[in-house]
Structure formats: C-alpha cells, structure tokens
Amino acid sequence: MLEGPDDSRYCYELNYSQTNIMKVISHYPGIRYKELARWTGLANGVLTYHLNILEQFRYVNKFRHNNITRYYPLSIPNSDLKIISHLRVYSEREIILFLLSHDFCTFNEIVEHLKKAPSTVSWRLKRLCEDGTLVVHHGGYNLYRINDKRLVNQMLHKYKESITDKVVNNFIDIASEL
C-alpha cells in the first residue's frame, strides 16, 4: 500500500493502470490528456476515471494554463509549472532558447529568428511576459529578456521535451497560424 504524498490519512494501493499513468506522467511532466491516452493505451473514460482517483489521492497535479490542461507529478513545485508549460510549446520554447543566448532582444530580432508571423510572435511574447517568464523593458524599442535565466536553464535540463511533444507542438503552431 502506498500513502498519499501529502496526507498519511489516505492510503490507496495503485492498480496497474494507475501505476502506468504515474510512470508516463513522471517521464513526461506537463503531458497533455491526449498524449497520456496515447502513451497508456487507455480509452477516454477509463483514463478520466483513473486520473480523477490519482488527483483525489494527490498523486498527480492537474494544471490548467492558457486553456491547456497538463498533468504533473506532485514532486514538481507549483512555481515551476508555468515555465514547464511554456517549454512544452514549440514557439515559446524557441523564444526562450533564443533569449537565453542573449541579454536583450528586440521584437524584430525574435521575429527574424523564429521566422513566424509577427502576430504569432507578439501573442507568444505576451503570454510569456504575463506569466513573468520574460520581462520587457520599454524605451525606444521594447527589449525582451528572460526574468530568471538560472531557473529556466534548470527547467530545460530537468524536463526535456519528448518527440511526441515536438510533433504535437509543431502541429499546434501550424494550426494557430492559419
């Protein structure tokens, strides 16, 4: 029997499906529901049932950010969830990687590097700034920089993007530009 991570009052023995779900979530923190269904091979209703139990007994953290629900192991601090969510989105990850190698960048430099529509880059930058991952300095030009490079680097190394994430994120980026 396993005890719930936060409260020893709750004892719950995970079954095979729940153990499998936990392994996938631990291996791919920030995984989306559809990806989780693919990796586990569970039907929607079955997966929903087991995820609800895992959430109830506090084995997983369901985090909704920018209308996307992602699942994380409880071992990841809440302060890291937003950064990981941004790193799971291809365009935002590319912006972050570009800014890590520069102290400050203008909007045009970021657009040129990403080779995306300015409206797409503007929307992504807005999301990153609203969450505090990026900081914008207003002046003659808006200059963007990473708010906490050490923390972002730490997240990049600790939570690597899966191949599935790359494919899905590329598709989402293409669809959002239409």
Side-chain angles (χ1 to χ4, degrees), residues 95-106 109-110 113 144-146 149:
I95 290 170
I96 290 168
L97 291 171
F98 182 65
L99 288 172
L100 280 172
S101 62
H102 299 82
D103 288 329
F104 291 95
C105 290
T106 65
E109 290 171 331
I110 297 168
H113 174 75
Y144 296 89
R145 71 171 175 83
I146 302 283
K149 281 187 174 185

Side-chain angles (χ1 to χ4, degrees), residues 6-126:
D6 292 339
D7 193 346
S8 59
R9 292 180 297 148
Y10 295 109
C11 291
Y12 182 77
E13 188 173 338
L14 298 179
N15 65 26
Y16 174 79
S17 294
Q18 293 160 350
T19 302
N20 190 28
I21 292 168
M22 288 301 302
K23 284 179 186 175
V24 173
I25 291 173
S26 294
H27 194 262
Y28 302 108
I31 192 167
R32 290 187 287 270
Y33 182 88
K34 290 280 188 191
E35 294 171 274
L36 190 54
R38 272 193 298 275
W39 279 104
T40 61
L42 297 173
N44 283 337
V46 175
L47 180 57
T48 299
Y49 170 79
H50 290 299
L51 281 171
N52 286 337
I53 290 172
L54 291 170
E55 287 176 67
Q56 177 186 353
F57 287 100
R58 298 190 220 158
Y59 285 98
V60 297
N61 189 357
K62 181 168 89 173
F63 180 70
R64 188 160 177 83
H65 182 244
N66 294 320
N67 294 322
I68 297 171
T69 301
R70 296 178 181 274
Y71 295 89
Y72 297 88
L74 270 182
S75 60
I76 297 177
N78 285 341
S79 59
D80 297 352
L81 299 183
K82 283 184 182 177
I83 293 173
I84 296 169
S85 292
H86 288 302
L87 292 174
R88 295 283 188 219
V89 178
Y90 177 78
S91 292
E92 293 175 15
R93 181 184 179 89
E94 288 302 307
I95 290 170
I96 290 168
L97 291 171
F98 182 65
L99 288 172
L100 280 172
S101 62
H102 299 82
D103 288 329
F104 291 95
C105 290
T106 65
F107 176 78
N108 289 335
E109 290 171 331
I110 297 168
V111 169
E112 185 178 312
H113 174 75
L114 286 179
K115 297 179 182 15
K116 300 278 184 191
S119 59
T120 300
V121 174
S122 176
W123 185 64
R124 300 290 183 187
L125 286 170
K126 180 181 175 194

Side-chain angles (χ1 to χ4, degrees), residues 65-66 82 86 92 126-134:
H65 182 244
N66 294 320
K82 283 184 182 177
H86 288 302
E92 293 175 15
K126 180 181 175 194
R127 287 173 45 155
L128 289 161
C129 289
E130 284 174 350
D131 289 341
T133 303
L134 298 184

Side-chain angles (χ1 to χ4, degrees), residues 135-154:
V135 176
V136 61
H137 297 277
H138 302 285
Y141 294 98
N142 285 345
L143 297 173
Y144 296 89
R145 71 171 175 83
I146 302 283
N147 191 26
D148 187 343
K149 281 187 174 185
R150 183 196 57 75
L151 179 62
V152 171
N153 269 320
Q154 188 178 32

